[in-house]
Amino acid sequence: MHTLFLMRHAQPASHAPGGDRERPLTDVGRRQAREVGTRLGLRNVGHALVSDALRTRQTWDCLQLDCPVEFMRALYYCGTDTVRRR
């Protein structure tokens, strides 16, 4: 049986010069993502779909999971229907 994990990005900065899409993770956010990555690494994640926003890409990097990943603009600020279709 497959398991679907849905998660948000780790803690981002409150603002960024490039706007919402360019908000980076804070140091706390990087630590949060590494901690979650340690747990997810034990679950044999097979594939990841990630928004192309900076904070979600940085969250992905900090997770340090060894699986294929797709960065998708369509996942930025989308609803559950879009996520389910992807």
Side-chain angles (χ1 to χ4, degrees), residues 2-70:
H2 296 283
T3 302
L4 175 64
F5 296 98
L6 298 175
M7 64 180 280
R8 288 179 51 93
H9 53 77
Q11 183 185 66
S14 59
H15 64 281
D20 184 66
R21 187 181 291 274
E22 296 304 317
R23 290 191 299 146
L25 292 183
T26 63
D27 290 340
V28 170
R30 290 179 187 282
R31 187 178 74 243
Q32 291 170 333
R34 285 191 300 269
E35 289 171 5
V36 170
T38 298
R39 289 184 225 125
L40 283 176
L42 301 173
R43 300 299 302 265
N44 298 319
V45 175
H47 193 90
L49 304 178
V50 179
S51 160
D52 69 347
L54 177 59
R55 62 188 173 272
T56 56
R57 289 182 282 127
Q58 288 178 331
T59 298
W60 170 254
D61 289 342
C62 289
L63 292 173
Q64 297 183 337
L65 298 176
D66 185 23
C67 71
V69 60
E70 293 179 62

Side-chain angles (χ1 to χ4, degrees), residues 65-80:
L65 298 176
D66 185 23
C67 71
V69 60
E70 293 179 62
F71 296 102
M72 299 180 160
R73 186 172 194 90
L75 296 179
Y76 177 76
Y77 259 34
C78 74
T80 54

